[in-house]
Amino acid sequence: MHLTHSMKAELKGASISFQNPTTSPLFNNNTTTPPHNNPLSGALKGCLGSLDGACIEKLLLHCASALESNDVTLAQQVMWVLNNIASPLGDTNQRLTSWFLRALISRASRICPTTAMSFKGGSNTIQRRLMSLTELAGYVDLIPWHRFGFCASNNEIFKAIEGFQKVHILDFSITHCMQWPTFIDALAKRPEGPPSLRITVPSFRPHVPPLVNISTQEVGQRLGNFARFKDVPFEFNVLGINTTSPPILTPEFGNNESISTFHFETLLSLLTPSVLNLREDEALVINCQNWLRYLSDDRKGNPQNLSLRDAFLNIIKGLNPRIVLLVDEDCDLSASTLTSRITTCFNHLWIPFDALETFLPKSSIQRTEFESDIGQKIDNIIGFEGHQRIERLETGMQMSQRMRNAGYLSVPFCDETVREVKALLDEHASGWGMKREEGMLVLTWKGNSCVFATGWVPCEMRDHIDIHTN
């Protein structure tokens, strides 16, 4: 039955109570048959108890479509089935389903804030943990989701700065400089001696996992200690007016929808040669790892018809970098409809869940915590809309076209970089692989694209840089 009233009104008046999952016919852990008043269709009954990924995806789409059309009765039916399948300690599909179900419940509860919803996966509150740097190192080593981009980028940077005695890296990333110890170690081994290295990072980062229990300045101090140990001259700068205040939460966890946009606009205003103290004898490198997706692509209200994302690319191009490295997940999550995002998100984020299944037991705390961080991403993709939905990925192909439109030339990865990346992947499970695609390197899991890495130079720099471009 399709309802004509708003979902908010229906949830308030629904006969099913979400307050207590032990008494609710929707979230009763011991229930083995559908709610009596809302019989499931034959198709949905056939999925009950099934752990097949295609069937689960179908159920998620049914639920998303019901929520978008305000059909609360159908949404409740499908959530009941999903709740019987989901388990945070089950197999890959069960664990992934539990996070999607949580996100769908979260979405419904935002429409009707007075309704408390629960499910058998446990508390609806996602615990956002703070890691030590040692824990963070283990986190990024668990699967090559981040290390792939680090390795591909570092090798291309190393090649681009050849012959320079001073290097300046503008680092836009979410992994708290975990990329740089390996790079510093490689500089220390350079036959002609290490160059001086200057790393500049923004004081503001998106409030997304991984999160650490020390400040950005302390991270810089640790890097400085390591660089001194390796005899690499080192300088660390935090870009921002006030670097002592704690980071402000982005809209994902706050109520002010303009916070993220305000901070990114402020950041862009600081990307000038004078503020960055750029020096003519330095090789400037721009490093973007899982960062550009958080810059809004909304062009509304901008007199130049440029989104923050495109404005950022124009600004850094004007700094004349030797190379720009761009790494992110190879997935399109820009669709406006919930059903489209669910299909893409389910098939993409199944990958890390499946990879962890191959070598960590179901009860592993490390596995649960890693999946929880992915779950926060799912919650944002599925549970939010508008400015609050900050996870807006583009595929490598889409991003490459954006870069070309902005006046960049692609820099193909050299054979040595390919060998280094392959050696890294050999340290992990056999399902990981790599492919070359339109100038990109793409990390794969069982043939499915995961993460892309690309290198770029401004068109104006082509004649000044001895790098083969496409």
Side-chain angles (χ1 to χ4, degrees), residues 262-290:
F262 169 77
H263 278 274
F264 280 125
E265 286 180 343
T266 301
L267 171 63
L268 264 57
S269 71
L270 298 175
L271 298 179
T272 66
S274 58
V275 173
L276 295 169
N277 191 23
L278 299 186
R279 303 159 190 169
E280 290 186 2
D281 57 347
E282 284 183 329
L284 178 64
V285 173
I286 311 289
N287 183 65
C288 298
Q289 304 268 336
N290 303 292

mmCIF file of all heavy atoms in Angstrom, residues 262-290:
data_model
loop_
_atom_site.group_PDB
_atom_site.id
_atom_site.type_symbol
_atom_site.label_atom_id
_atom_site.label_comp_id
_atom_site.label_asym_id
_atom_site.label_seq_id
_atom_site.Cartn_x
_atom_site.Cartn_y
_atom_site.Cartn_z
ATOM 1 N N PHE A 262 32.568 27.019 4.887
ATOM 2 C CA PHE A 262 33.302 28.180 5.407
ATOM 3 C C PHE A 262 34.785 27.857 5.575
ATOM 4 O O PHE A 262 35.647 28.638 5.166
ATOM 5 C CB PHE A 262 32.702 28.605 6.749
ATOM 6 C CG PHE A 262 33.539 29.608 7.488
ATOM 7 C CD1 PHE A 262 33.553 30.940 7.114
ATOM 8 C CD2 PHE A 262 34.330 29.208 8.555
ATOM 9 C CE1 PHE A 262 34.344 31.859 7.792
ATOM 10 C CE2 PHE A 262 35.121 30.123 9.238
ATOM 11 C CZ PHE A 262 35.120 31.452 8.852
ATOM 12 N N HIS A 263 35.094 26.719 6.158
ATOM 13 C CA HIS A 263 36.497 26.385 6.409
ATOM 14 C C HIS A 263 37.242 26.119 5.109
ATOM 15 O O HIS A 263 38.412 26.502 4.970
ATOM 16 C CB HIS A 263 36.588 25.186 7.346
ATOM 17 C CG HIS A 263 36.440 25.556 8.790
ATOM 18 N ND1 HIS A 263 37.501 25.966 9.564
ATOM 19 C CD2 HIS A 263 35.358 25.600 9.589
ATOM 20 C CE1 HIS A 263 37.084 26.245 10.788
ATOM 21 N NE2 HIS A 263 35.779 26.024 10.825
ATOM 22 N N PHE A 264 36.609 25.481 4.154
ATOM 23 C CA PHE A 264 37.285 25.238 2.884
ATOM 24 C C PHE A 264 37.489 26.537 2.114
ATOM 25 O O PHE A 264 38.516 26.729 1.466
ATOM 26 C CB PHE A 264 36.503 24.230 2.040
ATOM 27 C CG PHE A 264 36.736 22.795 2.447
ATOM 28 C CD1 PHE A 264 35.684 21.971 2.774
ATOM 29 C CD2 PHE A 264 38.023 22.284 2.494
ATOM 30 C CE1 PHE A 264 35.898 20.656 3.139
ATOM 31 C CE2 PHE A 264 38.258 20.967 2.867
ATOM 32 C CZ PHE A 264 37.183 20.154 3.184
ATOM 33 N N GLU A 265 36.513 27.443 2.172
ATOM 34 C CA GLU A 265 36.689 28.734 1.509
ATOM 35 C C GLU A 265 37.832 29.516 2.148
ATOM 36 O O GLU A 265 38.620 30.171 1.459
ATOM 37 C CB GLU A 265 35.383 29.538 1.578
ATOM 38 C CG GLU A 265 34.301 29.028 0.642
ATOM 39 C CD GLU A 265 33.023 29.839 0.733
ATOM 40 O OE1 GLU A 265 32.871 30.585 1.735
ATOM 41 O OE2 GLU A 265 32.185 29.727 -0.169
ATOM 42 N N THR A 266 37.930 29.460 3.473
ATOM 43 C CA THR A 266 39.042 30.117 4.175
ATOM 44 C C THR A 266 40.368 29.508 3.756
ATOM 45 O O THR A 266 41.358 30.215 3.512
ATOM 46 C CB THR A 266 38.865 29.980 5.696
ATOM 47 O OG1 THR A 266 37.620 30.565 6.086
ATOM 48 C CG2 THR A 266 39.993 30.671 6.445
ATOM 49 N N LEU A 267 40.401 28.167 3.653
ATOM 50 C CA LEU A 267 41.615 27.488 3.236
ATOM 51 C C LEU A 267 42.045 27.944 1.848
ATOM 52 O O LEU A 267 43.220 28.248 1.612
ATOM 53 C CB LEU A 267 41.389 25.974 3.249
ATOM 54 C CG LEU A 267 42.499 25.117 2.636
ATOM 55 C CD1 LEU A 267 43.803 25.275 3.413
ATOM 56 C CD2 LEU A 267 42.074 23.658 2.574
ATOM 57 N N LEU A 268 41.093 28.010 0.929
ATOM 58 C CA LEU A 268 41.428 28.413 -0.437
ATOM 59 C C LEU A 268 42.007 29.822 -0.479
ATOM 60 O O LEU A 268 42.907 30.120 -1.283
ATOM 61 C CB LEU A 268 40.183 28.329 -1.329
ATOM 62 C CG LEU A 268 40.020 27.038 -2.148
ATOM 63 C CD1 LEU A 268 40.003 25.811 -1.245
ATOM 64 C CD2 LEU A 268 38.748 27.083 -2.977
ATOM 65 N N SER A 269 41.528 30.693 0.404
ATOM 66 C CA SER A 269 42.035 32.068 0.426
ATOM 67 C C SER A 269 43.479 32.131 0.909
ATOM 68 O O SER A 269 44.178 33.131 0.681
ATOM 69 C CB SER A 269 41.145 32.940 1.312
ATOM 70 O OG SER A 269 41.311 32.609 2.695
ATOM 71 N N LEU A 270 43.946 31.074 1.574
ATOM 72 C CA LEU A 270 45.312 31.047 2.096
ATOM 73 C C LEU A 270 46.309 30.435 1.115
ATOM 74 O O LEU A 270 47.519 30.453 1.359
ATOM 75 C CB LEU A 270 45.352 30.252 3.407
ATOM 76 C CG LEU A 270 44.526 30.816 4.570
ATOM 77 C CD1 LEU A 270 44.566 29.867 5.759
ATOM 78 C CD2 LEU A 270 45.029 32.193 4.976
ATOM 79 N N LEU A 271 45.809 29.874 0.016
ATOM 80 C CA LEU A 271 46.690 29.207 -0.937
ATOM 81 C C LEU A 271 47.268 30.214 -1.924
ATOM 82 O O LEU A 271 46.989 30.197 -3.119
ATOM 83 C CB LEU A 271 45.928 28.096 -1.667
ATOM 84 C CG LEU A 271 45.396 26.964 -0.785
ATOM 85 C CD1 LEU A 271 44.629 25.946 -1.620
ATOM 86 C CD2 LEU A 271 46.537 26.277 -0.036
ATOM 87 N N THR A 272 48.105 31.087 -1.385
ATOM 88 C CA THR A 272 48.775 32.096 -2.199
ATOM 89 C C THR A 272 50.279 31.955 -2.017
ATOM 90 O O THR A 272 50.746 31.462 -0.971
ATOM 91 C CB THR A 272 48.349 33.513 -1.787
ATOM 92 O OG1 THR A 272 48.817 33.774 -0.450
ATOM 93 C CG2 THR A 272 46.837 33.669 -1.824
ATOM 94 N N PRO A 273 51.083 32.376 -2.999
ATOM 95 C CA PRO A 273 52.537 32.264 -2.865
ATOM 96 C C PRO A 273 53.085 32.953 -1.621
ATOM 97 O O PRO A 273 54.023 32.450 -0.986
ATOM 98 C CB PRO A 273 53.052 32.929 -4.145
ATOM 99 C CG PRO A 273 51.952 32.729 -5.136
ATOM 100 C CD PRO A 273 50.689 32.849 -4.339
ATOM 101 N N SER A 274 52.506 34.094 -1.252
ATOM 102 C CA SER A 274 53.031 34.832 -0.100
ATOM 103 C C SER A 274 52.702 34.108 1.205
ATOM 104 O O SER A 274 53.573 33.968 2.082
ATOM 105 C CB SER A 274 52.469 36.254 -0.076
ATOM 106 O OG SER A 274 51.045 36.234 -0.033
ATOM 107 N N VAL A 275 51.457 33.677 1.365
ATOM 108 C CA VAL A 275 51.082 32.974 2.597
ATOM 109 C C VAL A 275 51.841 31.657 2.721
ATOM 110 O O VAL A 275 52.306 31.283 3.803
ATOM 111 C CB VAL A 275 49.561 32.723 2.637
ATOM 112 C CG1 VAL A 275 49.194 31.852 3.838
ATOM 113 C CG2 VAL A 275 48.795 34.038 2.692
ATOM 114 N N LEU A 276 52.009 30.956 1.603
ATOM 115 C CA LEU A 276 52.720 29.672 1.618
ATOM 116 C C LEU A 276 54.234 29.852 1.648
ATOM 117 O O LEU A 276 54.967 28.869 1.825
ATOM 118 C CB LEU A 276 52.337 28.861 0.378
ATOM 119 C CG LEU A 276 50.873 28.411 0.295
ATOM 120 C CD1 LEU A 276 50.572 27.851 -1.084
ATOM 121 C CD2 LEU A 276 50.574 27.373 1.369
ATOM 122 N N ASN A 277 54.677 31.087 1.465
ATOM 123 C CA ASN A 277 56.110 31.383 1.448
ATOM 124 C C ASN A 277 56.833 30.523 0.411
ATOM 125 O O ASN A 277 57.850 29.891 0.693
ATOM 126 C CB ASN A 277 56.732 31.167 2.837
ATOM 127 C CG ASN A 277 58.144 31.713 2.938
ATOM 128 O OD1 ASN A 277 58.548 32.599 2.172
ATOM 129 N ND2 ASN A 277 58.918 31.168 3.867
ATOM 130 N N LEU A 278 56.289 30.507 -0.802
ATOM 131 C CA LEU A 278 56.893 29.717 -1.875
ATOM 132 C C LEU A 278 58.222 30.325 -2.282
ATOM 133 O O LEU A 278 58.390 31.548 -2.304
ATOM 134 C CB LEU A 278 55.956 29.655 -3.082
ATOM 135 C CG LEU A 278 54.587 29.001 -2.852
ATOM 136 C CD1 LEU A 278 53.834 28.880 -4.177
ATOM 137 C CD2 LEU A 278 54.728 27.637 -2.187
ATOM 138 N N ARG A 279 59.158 29.461 -2.600
ATOM 139 C CA ARG A 279 60.508 29.890 -2.949
ATOM 140 C C ARG A 279 60.873 29.374 -4.328
ATOM 141 O O ARG A 279 60.556 28.224 -4.679
ATOM 142 C CB ARG A 279 61.496 29.378 -1.899
ATOM 143 C CG ARG A 279 61.147 29.846 -0.481
ATOM 144 C CD ARG A 279 61.771 28.981 0.598
ATOM 145 N NE ARG A 279 61.230 29.316 1.923
ATOM 146 C CZ ARG A 279 61.432 28.572 3.017
ATOM 147 N NH1 ARG A 279 62.171 27.465 2.946
ATOM 148 N NH2 ARG A 279 60.905 28.931 4.160
ATOM 149 N N GLU A 280 61.552 30.200 -5.088
ATOM 150 C CA GLU A 280 61.840 29.860 -6.482
ATOM 151 C C GLU A 280 62.734 28.637 -6.621
ATOM 152 O O GLU A 280 62.656 27.926 -7.627
ATOM 153 C CB GLU A 280 62.497 31.057 -7.191
ATOM 154 C CG GLU A 280 61.540 32.229 -7.417
ATOM 155 C CD GLU A 280 62.166 33.320 -8.243
ATOM 156 O OE1 GLU A 280 63.332 33.144 -8.670
ATOM 157 O OE2 GLU A 280 61.512 34.355 -8.469
ATOM 158 N N ASP A 281 63.579 28.395 -5.629
ATOM 159 C CA ASP A 281 64.506 27.272 -5.755
ATOM 160 C C ASP A 281 63.938 25.977 -5.183
ATOM 161 O O ASP A 281 64.650 24.977 -5.046
ATOM 162 C CB ASP A 281 65.834 27.597 -5.078
ATOM 163 C CG ASP A 281 65.672 27.955 -3.603
ATOM 164 O OD1 ASP A 281 64.522 28.192 -3.167
ATOM 165 O OD2 ASP A 281 66.693 28.002 -2.885
ATOM 166 N N GLU A 282 62.652 25.967 -4.837
ATOM 167 C CA GLU A 282 62.005 24.764 -4.319
ATOM 168 C C GLU A 282 61.215 24.054 -5.414
ATOM 169 O O GLU A 282 60.643 24.692 -6.296
ATOM 170 C CB GLU A 282 61.026 25.103 -3.193
ATOM 171 C CG GLU A 282 61.659 25.426 -1.859
ATOM 172 C CD GLU A 282 60.584 25.665 -0.808
ATOM 173 O OE1 GLU A 282 59.492 26.153 -1.160
ATOM 174 O OE2 GLU A 282 60.851 25.371 0.366
ATOM 175 N N ALA A 283 61.171 22.742 -5.335
ATOM 176 C CA ALA A 283 60.265 21.958 -6.172
ATOM 177 C C ALA A 283 58.955 21.821 -5.402
ATOM 178 O O ALA A 283 58.928 21.212 -4.320
ATOM 179 C CB ALA A 283 60.860 20.589 -6.468
ATOM 180 N N LEU A 284 57.893 22.405 -5.924
ATOM 181 C CA LEU A 284 56.595 22.367 -5.245
ATOM 182 C C LEU A 284 55.802 21.151 -5.699
ATOM 183 O O LEU A 284 55.645 20.900 -6.898
ATOM 184 C CB LEU A 284 55.811 23.647 -5.535
ATOM 185 C CG LEU A 284 54.404 23.721 -4.919
ATOM 186 C CD1 LEU A 284 54.483 23.728 -3.392
ATOM 187 C CD2 LEU A 284 53.653 24.944 -5.442
ATOM 188 N N VAL A 285 55.283 20.421 -4.724
ATOM 189 C CA VAL A 285 54.476 19.224 -4.975
ATOM 190 C C VAL A 285 53.128 19.400 -4.281
ATOM 191 O O VAL A 285 53.067 19.816 -3.120
ATOM 192 C CB VAL A 285 55.178 17.949 -4.436
ATOM 193 C CG1 VAL A 285 54.255 16.745 -4.556
ATOM 194 C CG2 VAL A 285 56.490 17.714 -5.170
ATOM 195 N N ILE A 286 52.032 19.097 -4.992
ATOM 196 C CA ILE A 286 50.696 19.108 -4.401
ATOM 197 C C ILE A 286 50.239 17.669 -4.267
ATOM 198 O O ILE A 286 50.175 16.930 -5.258
ATOM 199 C CB ILE A 286 49.681 19.887 -5.269
ATOM 200 C CG1 ILE A 286 50.242 21.252 -5.677
ATOM 201 C CG2 ILE A 286 48.355 20.009 -4.535
ATOM 202 C CD1 ILE A 286 50.355 22.245 -4.575
ATOM 203 N N ASN A 287 49.923 17.260 -3.054
ATOM 204 C CA ASN A 287 49.526 15.881 -2.791
ATOM 205 C C ASN A 287 48.096 15.848 -2.235
ATOM 206 O O ASN A 287 47.824 16.404 -1.167
ATOM 207 C CB ASN A 287 50.489 15.247 -1.768
ATOM 208 C CG ASN A 287 50.185 13.789 -1.511
ATOM 209 O OD1 ASN A 287 50.307 12.946 -2.394
ATOM 210 N ND2 ASN A 287 49.779 13.481 -0.279
ATOM 211 N N CYS A 288 47.181 15.227 -2.962
ATOM 212 C CA CYS A 288 45.769 15.133 -2.546
ATOM 213 C C CYS A 288 45.385 13.664 -2.411
ATOM 214 O O CYS A 288 45.257 12.952 -3.420
ATOM 215 C CB CYS A 288 44.862 15.805 -3.561
ATOM 216 S SG CYS A 288 45.154 17.562 -3.795
ATOM 217 N N GLN A 289 45.228 13.223 -1.195
ATOM 218 C CA GLN A 289 44.873 11.829 -0.926
ATOM 219 C C GLN A 289 43.522 11.789 -0.212
ATOM 220 O O GLN A 289 43.394 12.213 0.935
ATOM 221 C CB GLN A 289 45.938 11.175 -0.040
ATOM 222 C CG GLN A 289 47.349 11.242 -0.579
ATOM 223 C CD GLN A 289 47.740 10.036 -1.405
ATOM 224 O OE1 GLN A 289 47.181 8.947 -1.258
ATOM 225 N NE2 GLN A 289 48.726 10.204 -2.266
ATOM 226 N N ASN A 290 42.487 11.284 -0.910
ATOM 227 C CA ASN A 290 41.144 11.154 -0.324
ATOM 228 C C ASN A 290 40.648 12.491 0.237
ATOM 229 O O ASN A 290 40.051 12.549 1.317
ATOM 230 C CB ASN A 290 41.142 10.092 0.783
ATOM 231 C CG ASN A 290 41.618 8.747 0.283
ATOM 232 O OD1 ASN A 290 40.959 8.101 -0.516
ATOM 233 N ND2 ASN A 290 42.789 8.327 0.753
#
